[in-house]
Each structure stands twice: as C-alpha cells, then as structure tokens.
Amino acid sequence: MPTWKILTLFFCLMFLGYLITGSEKFVFSLKDIISSYFFIKGIGFVWIIMVFLVISFANPLLLKISKKIQNTKIYFFIYLMIYFVYLGLTELDFLFEGKALTLYNNIFLYNIGYMVMAAIGIRLKLLTQKQLRLMVAAFFMVFVF
C-alpha cells in the first residue's frame, strides 16, 4: 500500500478517535500532517520511507559504480573519502536556518550517509572472509571510538 494511503488512513482514524472521545485538541497539527506527507519530521518515522525511496532510486547508479570499479580497495577508499566529506558537511549546518536547515539535514545529509552504507553493502558479498573480518573490526572501531 502506498505511503500516502497509509498516512491518510492513519490520520483519518486518529481524527475519528478524536471525534469519538471528544478530546479538546487533535493530537496532530496541520504542520505535522503536511510534513509527514513530505517525509520531513511530521509524526516521526516517515523519514525512513524517504531514505528507502532515495536508495531505491540511487541503487542503479550505485550498482553501476560498483561494477565499474573492479578494485575493492579503491572502491572502499572512494566511499571512505565520500564518508569523510559527509562528516564535514554535517558540521556546516550552521550555514542554514529554518526550512533550509530542515531540508539540508533531513533530505540531503540523511540520504548521503545512507547511500554510502548502501554502496558498502552492495560490495560486501564480494569480500573474502578475511576482508569481512577486517571490515567488521573497522566498523567496530568507528562505533566504539
């Protein structure tokens, strides 16, 4: 079922519950409802649908890049550099405010990080056991420190 249908059903049921219970105020503001349909903040957890959507559009390109770059070390090095650029971009949010900041953080930055992870995941199946252990150790070190 498309996300917009699920959201519409959800909001209609919530509004019906509001009418039945006679509550003083509806749980969600108009801003919450509209931003949910645009996958920005809203009721929460709809941002992951935006990530799935962007990754599904990016996957053909990521697969093409994976096939084009045969050398695994170069492939991971490129994505490591993209990740470092991404980390630098996360520090630039002071340049934005209001809606621009929301778009920068919730659309641009989230999706870059997830695309890097998707690109790494695409290549994982081609790694040897030794390379996988090294990758797990590297991710563990990043996570711990």
Side-chain angles (χ1 to χ4, degrees):
M1 182 183 279
T3 305
W4 70 268
K5 287 183 179 180
I6 293 169
L7 287 172
T8 302
L9 179 65
F10 173 76
F11 289 125
C12 286
L13 289 173
M14 291 298 288
F15 190 72
L16 183 63
Y18 159 75
L19 292 175
I20 291 171
T21 61
S23 299
E24 291 181 28
K25 185 178 178 190
F26 186 53
V27 178
F28 303 108
S29 68
L30 183 59
K31 182 180 177 182
D32 290 336
I33 295 169
I34 291 171
S35 61
S36 295
Y37 282 99
F38 286 102
F39 307 117
I40 301 170
K41 292 186 180 180
I43 61 171
F45 301 110
V46 291
W47 63 270
I48 193 65
I49 298 166
M50 168 76 96
V51 171
F52 290 148
L53 184 65
V54 169
I55 296 303
S56 69
F57 286 129
N59 254 354
L61 176 64
L62 296 174
L63 284 168
K64 190 174 185 176
I65 292 169
S66 178
K67 288 178 182 175
K68 190 169 184 115
I69 303 172
Q70 296 295 317
N71 188 313
T72 301
K73 289 178 184 175
I74 292 172
Y75 181 83
F76 284 115
F77 179 76
I78 289 169
Y79 281 104
L80 180 65
M81 292 300 105
I82 292 171
Y83 182 71
F84 283 132
V85 169
Y86 163 76
L87 288 177
L89 290 172
T90 62
E91 299 299 320
L92 297 180
D93 61 355
F94 68 89
L95 296 172
F96 304 96
E97 55 185 53
K99 291 179 184 176
L101 177 62
T102 301
L103 291 173
Y104 180 73
N105 282 330
N106 294 346
I107 294 177
F108 184 68
L109 286 182
Y110 276 177
N111 292 320
I112 289 176
Y114 283 108
M115 282 193 289
V116 169
M117 291 294 106
I120 290 170
I122 286 170
R123 199 43 96 78
L124 283 180
K125 67 181 180 180
L126 302 176
L127 297 180
T128 65
Q129 286 294 321
K130 183 179 178 184
Q131 290 171 325
L132 278 173
R133 283 190 210 108
L134 182 63
M135 183 73 72
V136 168
F139 278 124
F140 181 75
M141 297 297 279
V142 168
F143 179 74
V144 170
F145 301 106

